[in-house]
Amino acid sequence: MLSFRTTGFNGYAVKYSPFFDSRIACAASSNFGLVGNGRLYILNLTPQGIVAEKWFDTQDSLFDVTFSESNANQLAVASGDGSIKLFDATLNDFPIRQWREHTREVFSLSWNLVDKNIFASSSWDGNVKIWNPTAPQSLRTINIGSCTYSVAFQPSSPTVLSAVSSDGFMRVFDLRAPEPSAEIAKTRVSPGEVLTQDWNKYRPSVIATAGVDRSIRVWDLKMPSMCQTELVGHEYAVRRIAWSPHWQDVVLSASYDMSVRVWTDGSAQAGGAGPGTGRLLGVMDRHTEFCAGVDWCLFGGEGWAASTGWDEMVWVWDVGSTMGSR
Amino acid sequence: MSGASNRLASLKSQLTSSTARDRLLQKNPDDIVVTCALRTAFTKGGRGLFKDTHAGDLLAGIFQGVIKTSGIDPALVEDISVGNVLAPGAGATEFRAAAIVAGFPTTTAVKATNRQCSSGLQACVDIASAISAGIIEVGIGAGVESMSNNYGPDAVSEFSELLNSVKKAKDCKVPMGVLSEQMAKDKGIARVNQDAFAAKSYQKAEAAQKAGLFKEEIWPIETSFEDPKTGEKKRVVVNADDGVRPGMTAEALAKIKPAFAKDGSIHAGNASQISDGAAAVLLMKRSTAQKLGQKIIGKFVTASVAGVDPLLMGIGPWASIPKVFEKTGLSKEDVDIFEINEAFASQCLWCANELGLDEKKINPKGGAIAFGHPLGCTGARQVSTLLTELRRTGGKIGVTSMCIGTGMGMAAVWVAEN
């Protein structure tokens, strides 16, 4: 296990670069993101451990980060002051562009993996916005109506995205559908606030959601009224989940209960014949405060992941060793 | 931008609440709370002790009850919405006068609201919404009906040729009894089940009355009454529902002749009674209540309204309750008491069965079949009946709902406190 201390800043999100196997970004905030500055770390995995290649300080807290899929050095951050800032890792100090349209905390960002010219943002102001990094204004605003904690593009579609929000719903949109709503599906996925979601990397209609009610639920949009699998075990709200890019049934979750957990949704055993029985595969318990961010490495040996939390730590670890035997 | 306190509150809610029920039970400064909910006794239309009392007088009486019980400074009440169905113009003029009589200054505004049988609830929802929107700080949602004075053939105006030319539009004026009879037939709601449901309502109301469970919600009204036998006029204090027949059984109800069709199933004993009465609910933000030292007895969460086929108006609660569940994330198991208006035993029973509601949770003190349904009042009446019973039984979450003439339903979620 490798680690890096984000001294004075509490981690909110961590992401692997889609271009460099050694680069990780971490969005962090002082004073637990309640008040004060934010800092974006560009971390480098070196033979000498993790080194901060660079960092960018921001006026307000940072809650999420996403790498550009079109420019190897660019990445966008979601800020508490409602702004989105685009930084270039080859430059210093200041963002190369920023957008101020959201009226409250921006909480999540998602870059489209197919149409690499667009990314989406979601905010506590109840809106999702679609952006082109070269355009000064957003391309489109989709009103959700309540605090939207997460937005995510479907990984194999240029136009389909989903949003989860404090009202307990997951809404799926297709940008090809007519304005204003573009909504193609809406499902109650939790009795409480939904904080996070992730599309499965292998099954295009499968998505997992999680939040305040501590459960992770797996949904198949072909049957949106029925939860496929429920993964229960976290003792507090689940803040971030991420499906493995290598194992189609494995999902990681970071929770306020200070643990990062590894789960299978059981679909591997079911052999693709419908939902299986999900279960816990392992627990990573090195964090000593709320865990807020987790991401998988796309490169090299399968199963490497990074996590961050309010304990000012970024851990890089081998999920395989946590899972034991599958 | 929101400050640190907003972020902290958001974080706290993520940590502390795990279910919709928990979230509803949280107390936040911007909650819309109830600090007083009262009703008058309900008496039989045309015969009861309120037969000579005008709707405006009933309203003035219940307003005085709210002022005295809550101790609110009447000058702080910015708006009053009064539900009413039958008075000309829904009683807008006389209700403004009634507020002045009750002791509200002329700075307190008054309006009349008519959404048929949900008018009393709609009045509360209007006031709650105005408070949330920041239009007013303190308001009263109320309802009143003198069916003795205003019930009759004039209650529905003539339809134009145009309205009559569209079948669904014309259906809007089919009388409630007639369409409910048809609905009972179509949905296969047997008379024996309706009578059993109705007898239960009487029995529950009788038990509640004997145990004094209505005492807290009923504000006594002093009024004049002319004895129809002697012609003698006297002053009376009305403090109990007169429609509750002691010792009622399903067998006794089985003997009553159907009212709307020879082979029908609906009769005077398994439908709501024609009654007179008033009710009022004092609403404000929690922060305002705390500032004023008002005792909080409950909170209004949200409401839903749903349209249905005009001829199936009785299914209104079946359409509106799931809608309010979807908004709040509640399920039927989370709810401790359902106050569903018993317009007809047939429709109330059908809705309860169709929604799979636990019989024990529905109208635990009886309903309109036993003590009456003064149309515009009922929605506001249910609030006092619900909150007192939730508190007595240690329950927390309640739903009030009713079917609405012309084919609608409303439902609201309330939380009892203390």
Side-chain angles (χ1 to χ4, degrees):
Chain A
M1 260 188 207
L2 303 170
S3 69
F4 177 81
R5 181 119 197 256
T6 55
T7 308
F9 290 84
N10 310 99
Y12 262 86
V14 65
K15 288 280 167 67
Y16 273 93
S17 162
F19 293 95
F20 306 108
D21 61 1
S22 63
R23 181 178 281 179
I24 296 174
C26 175
S29 301
S30 60
N31 304 311
F32 309 104
L34 296 176
V35 62
N37 304 117
R39 180 172 285 179
L40 169 65
Y41 290 90
I42 313 284
L43 304 176
N44 202 6
L45 302 173
T46 71
Q48 288 74 41
I50 303 177
V51 178
E53 202 176 297
K54 184 163 284 185
W55 63 73
F56 298 97
D57 283 334
T58 58
Q59 199 78 40
D60 207 324
S61 309
L62 295 183
F63 297 128
D64 201 11
V65 56
T66 184
F67 277 97
S68 166
E69 294 287 336
S70 55
N71 183 315
N73 285 309
Q74 292 181 1
L75 63 178
V77 290
S79 173
D81 63 7
S83 70
I84 298 163
K85 299 176 203 296
L86 187 70
F87 287 99
D88 190 310
T90 60
L91 303 174
N92 290 327
D93 300 335
F94 300 110
I96 52 172
R97 193 180 273 284
Q98 56 180 322
W99 298 273
R100 297 181 177 276
E101 289 191 24
H102 285 295
T103 55
R104 291 198 59 186
E105 288 81 349
V106 185
F107 218 63
S108 116
L109 297 171
S110 170
W111 211 284
N112 193 304
L113 300 186
V114 181
D115 177 356
K116 299 182 176 186
N117 292 316
I118 59 170
F119 68 96
S121 63
S122 84
S123 162
W124 291 14
D125 69 6
N127 287 318
V128 164
K129 285 177 184 278
I130 311 296
W131 309 86
N132 178 316
T134 61
Q137 271 109 33
S138 62
L139 305 178
R140 183 156 179 181
T141 300
I142 297 169
N143 182 255
I144 308 291
S146 44
C147 181
T148 306
Y149 288 114
S150 167
V151 63
F153 274 109
Q154 202 278 338
S156 57
S157 163
T159 57
V160 174
L161 69 158
S162 62
V164 292
S165 46
S166 60
D167 60 4
F169 283 93
M170 169 180 68
R171 294 169 175 84
V172 183
F173 302 91
D174 189 329
L175 298 177
R176 291 169 302 181
E179 305 238 14
S181 103
E183 185 175 296
I184 54 172
K186 178 182 171 186
T187 303
R188 174 171 285 286
V189 294
S190 166
E193 297 188 294
V194 195
L195 304 177
T196 178
Q197 59 173 346
D198 196 35
W199 291 88
N200 188 279
K201 307 297 179 263
Y202 291 86
R203 291 169 283 161
S205 63
V206 172
I207 188 166
T209 62
V212 171
D213 77 345
R214 305 162 197 183
S215 287
I216 302 161
R217 295 192 181 83
V218 181
W219 306 87
D220 188 332
L221 292 179
K222 288 181 216 146
M223 286 174 282
S225 57
M226 196 179 77
C227 174
Q228 299 290 310
T229 308
E230 187 170 354
L231 305 170
V232 184
H234 275 299
E235 291 161 31
Y236 279 107
V238 181
R239 226 351 227 94
R240 180 91 59 167
I241 53 177
W243 286 102
S244 162
H246 297 111
W247 305 309
Q248 60 102 9
D249 63 315
V250 175
V251 64
L252 271 178
S253 59
S255 160
Y256 287 147
D257 71 5
M258 303 188 237
S259 71
V260 176
R261 297 186 186 219
V262 197
W263 313 79
T264 168
D265 73 346
S267 58
Q269 289 99 313
T277 312
R279 65 188 172 91
L280 182 68
L281 297 176
V283 180
M284 186 287 210
D285 57 4
R286 296 294 285 271
H287 286 284
T288 56
E289 258 298 344
F290 293 174
C291 294
V294 66
D295 193 29
W296 294 88
C297 179
L298 299 166
F299 304 100
E302 56 192 33
W304 281 84
S307 57
T308 189
W310 284 21
D311 56 358
E312 305 180 354
M313 292 300 287
V314 173
W315 285 99
V316 172
W317 44 290
D318 176 11
V319 177
S321 67
T322 309
M323 293 196 296
S325 64
R326 286 182 70 203
Chain B
M1 290 308 114
S2 52
S5 62
N6 279 347
R7 288 185 193 168
L8 192 59
S10 158
L11 185 69
K12 187 169 160 247
S13 80
Q14 291 172 16
L15 280 173
T16 50
S17 74
S18 56
T19 65
R21 189 181 159 96
D22 292 343
R23 207 165 65 238
L24 253 54
L25 296 182
Q26 275 178 21
K27 295 177 179 175
N28 295 308
D30 58 351
D31 289 339
I32 307 299
V33 298
V34 177
T35 65
C36 183
L38 290 176
R39 68 172 177 107
T40 67
F42 284 3
T43 68
K44 292 177 184 168
R47 286 181 288 158
L49 291 172
F50 285 141
K51 76 179 173 67
D52 304 316
T53 308
H54 284 269
D57 297 11
L58 286 172
L59 194 61
I62 202 65
F63 283 164
Q64 279 166 346
V66 168
I67 294 171
K68 283 190 186 138
T69 308
S70 68
I72 188 84
D73 174 358
L76 295 176
V77 177
E78 285 180 86
D79 198 9
I80 298 175
S81 179
V82 185
N84 182 276
V85 178
L86 298 172
T93 311
E94 56 193 284
F95 300 160
R96 165 77 167 152
I100 293 170
V101 167
F104 289 105
T106 52
T107 50
T108 300
V110 178
K111 70 167 173 171
T113 301
N114 185 354
R115 200 205 281 279
Q116 318 280 9
C117 299
S118 71
S119 302
L121 173 57
Q122 186 64 55
C124 294
V125 172
D126 286 354
I127 292 298
S129 310
I131 296 168
S132 314
I135 298 168
I136 59 170
E137 280 278 318
V138 178
I140 292 177
V144 64
E145 205 74 63
S146 171
M147 296 184 78
S148 295
N149 285 294
N150 301 111
Y151 190 48
D154 296 340
V156 181
S157 50
E158 272 305 307
F159 269 25
S160 68
E161 212 172 297
L162 175 66
L163 301 193
N164 277 326
S165 69
V166 177
K167 166 76 172 65
K168 283 267 179 263
K170 195 180 174 188
D171 286 347
C172 292
K173 68 168 186 186
V174 174
M176 294 301 117
V178 175
L179 67 83
S180 294
E181 188 64 74
Q182 192 58 46
M183 180 183 143
K185 213 170 272 172
D186 293 348
K187 302 260 181 213
I189 312 156
R191 164 141 183 194
V192 50
N193 296 337
Q194 296 180 37
D195 287 350
F197 181 89
K200 227 11 195 315
S201 179
Y202 277 107
Q203 289 156 8
K204 287 184 286 189
E206 183 188 351
Q209 206 172 43
K210 281 190 174 144
L213 303 188
F214 293 120
K215 278 222 173 89
E216 203 182 333
E217 64 183 85
I218 294 180
W219 177 258
I221 302 279
E222 191 183 334
T223 189
S224 300
F225 171 78
E226 186 183 303
D227 191 318
K229 283 177 203 147
T230 60
E232 183 200 352
K233 273 194 183 160
K234 54 187 177 187
R235 294 296 286 174
V236 286
V237 173
V238 189
N239 58 10
D241 303 325
D242 68 1
V244 185
R245 289 171 182 230
M248 183 60 84
T249 62
E251 292 70 37
L253 290 172
K255 294 182 189 133
I256 305 176
K257 264 204 281 194
F260 303 101
K262 261 193 203 131
D263 61 339
S265 60
I266 294 178
H267 55 80
N270 64 20
S272 54
Q273 298 184 27
I274 290 164
S275 313
D276 302 331
V281 181
L282 178 58
L283 296 154
M284 63 194 76
K285 279 198 179 140
R286 185 182 300 280
S287 51
T288 313
Q290 283 163 346
K291 199 171 68 194
L292 299 176
Q294 285 276 305
K295 182 170 179 282
I296 295 167
I297 60 172
K299 94 171 165 184
F300 168 80
V301 180
T302 188
S304 67
V305 64
V308 298
D309 188 302
L311 290 183
L312 294 178
M313 74 93 202
I315 67 172
W318 166 83
S320 56
I321 291 174
K323 223 169 158 180
V324 86
F325 280 173
E326 190 175 316
K327 280 178 206 296
T328 51
L330 285 175
S331 67
K332 62 192 181 198
E333 289 76 22
D334 294 322
V335 177
D336 298 306
I337 294 178
F338 290 90
E339 277 288 329
I340 303 177
N341 188 37
E342 299 166 351
F344 297 93
S346 55
Q347 57 78 218
C348 193
L349 181 61
W350 183 86
C351 291
N353 288 343
E354 210 58 23
L355 293 170
L357 305 184
D358 180 352
E359 191 196 331
K360 285 189 221 72
K361 289 182 174 181
I362 304 172
N363 305 347
K365 295 193 283 191
I369 289 171
F371 49 74
H373 173 28
L375 310 179
C377 166
T378 293
R381 185 278 296 172
Q382 288 177 322
V383 182
S384 58
T385 310
L386 174 73
L387 292 181
T388 50
E389 184 64 4
L390 281 174
R391 188 163 71 243
R392 189 183 74 82
T393 56
K396 284 289 172 205
I397 294 180
V399 167
T400 64
S401 180
M402 68 285 289
C403 57
I404 304 170
T406 72
M408 293 182 281
M410 268 189 92
V413 176
W414 307 82
V415 177
E417 294 189 13
N418 293 322

